[in-house]
Amino acid sequence: MTLDLTPDELLSTTRAVRKRLDLDRPVPRRLIEECIDLATQAPTGRNRQRWHFIVVTEPRLRRKVGDIFLRALAAAEGQPLNEHDIRRMNHAPRSTQGVFDGLRHLTDNIQRVPAFVIPAIEGRTDHASAAVQSGTWGSILPATWSFMLAARARGLGTTWTTAQGPLEHELAATLGVPYNKVMLAAFIPLAYTIGTDFKPAPRIPRDQVLHWERW
């Protein structure tokens, strides 16, 4: 079953879902495979198609991966916020509070999430130039976003996290990923959503982000 959404509705209502993940309903393998098939229709640098998607549903392995998620999250060090970050984060009342409330709910229930999807790409960008990084990330980000859009269209919820970062090596070893050759790009919880009535998020005005001809 796919939702009856226009392209604009799909693009504007694919939200980061944390609180409204249905933690008691398994996600059929068939649906995940459909989403992967659509993901790999995304553009990829020089048509190299270096993308990979690791899906974890087996309960014992899922517990191990969930534990790594929690420990990695605790070890994460975000970049310092500047005044512009803080202003934009708080453009809509309670929006930032909602994000952190959702994150707490997700961490409290991470072991109940029925599936984890870890997008990966061949080739590491550690200490690479911006040009090399843009080519690599530009080949996995479109595919992963396509996966998330396809999931939304099927009544599934996702949220992009980078919680794997601090413990990427351990996660790679747990999943049998050759760390020296393959980079784990994200850590995406996946589940059916509780309801499908998601709305566009409040954003800062267009004139603060759109630049014609020059900055």
Side-chain angles (χ1 to χ4, degrees), residues 156-169:
L156 303 173
T158 59
T159 182
W160 175 288
T161 85
T162 54
Q164 83 290 344
L167 297 179
E168 184 195 355
H169 200 290

Side-chain angles (χ1 to χ4, degrees), residues 29-211:
R29 177 170 178 156
R30 170 184 55 82
L31 283 188
I32 300 175
E33 290 175 341
E34 288 178 6
C35 294
I36 297 297
D37 288 343
L38 290 167
T40 56
Q41 289 297 313
T44 170
R46 288 187 280 173
N47 198 33
R48 290 177 293 180
Q49 304 182 60
R50 292 179 169 182
W51 43 46
H52 297 268
F53 293 84
I54 304 107
V55 180
V56 180
T57 60
E58 194 277 322
R60 186 168 60 177
L61 181 58
R62 210 172 68 234
R63 285 193 294 273
K64 290 181 180 179
V65 170
D67 176 67
I68 294 172
F69 171 90
L70 292 173
R71 289 188 287 111
L73 198 64
E77 296 181 2
Q79 291 185 327
L81 299 173
N82 60 42
E83 61 179 298
H84 299 297
D85 294 327
I86 295 171
R87 174 182 57 81
R88 290 184 291 248
M89 289 167 64
N90 293 285
H91 170 70
R94 292 187 54 79
S95 58
T96 298
Q97 183 63 46
V99 170
F100 286 110
D101 287 347
L103 178 59
R104 279 189 290 271
H105 177 81
L106 180 62
T107 57
D108 288 345
N109 292 279
I110 195 67
Q111 301 292 5
R112 297 178 58 201
V113 175
F116 300 130
V117 179
I118 297 106
I121 188 154
E122 296 174 26
R124 301 201 60 83
T125 62
D126 310 76
H127 312 297
S129 67
V132 171
Q133 290 196 44
S134 64
T136 301
W137 288 101
S139 291
I140 188 61
L141 279 163
T144 305
W145 180 234
S146 290
F147 173 85
M148 297 168 82
L149 290 170
R152 160 67 172 149
R154 287 158 176 76
L156 303 173
T158 59
T159 182
W160 175 288
T161 85
T162 54
Q164 83 290 344
L167 297 179
E168 184 195 355
H169 200 290
E170 181 181 348
L171 181 58
T174 299
L175 298 174
V177 176
Y179 176 83
N180 292 332
K181 298 179 180 179
V182 175
M183 183 168 59
L184 304 183
F187 186 104
I188 299 175
L190 176 72
Y192 278 102
T193 58
I194 300 171
T196 59
D197 55 333
F198 293 90
K199 299 177 180 179
R203 296 298 194 211
I204 60 175
R206 181 202 308 137
D207 60 12
Q208 295 186 26
V209 299
L210 176 61
H211 307 270

Side-chain angles (χ1 to χ4, degrees), residues 7-25:
D8 284 0
E9 287 171 335
L10 178 63
L11 288 166
S12 63
T13 65
T14 300
R15 307 260 54 89
V17 185
R18 303 177 185 91
K19 281 188 174 181
R20 291 176 59 182
L21 295 174
D22 189 336
L23 304 173
D24 299 313
R25 186 179 177 188

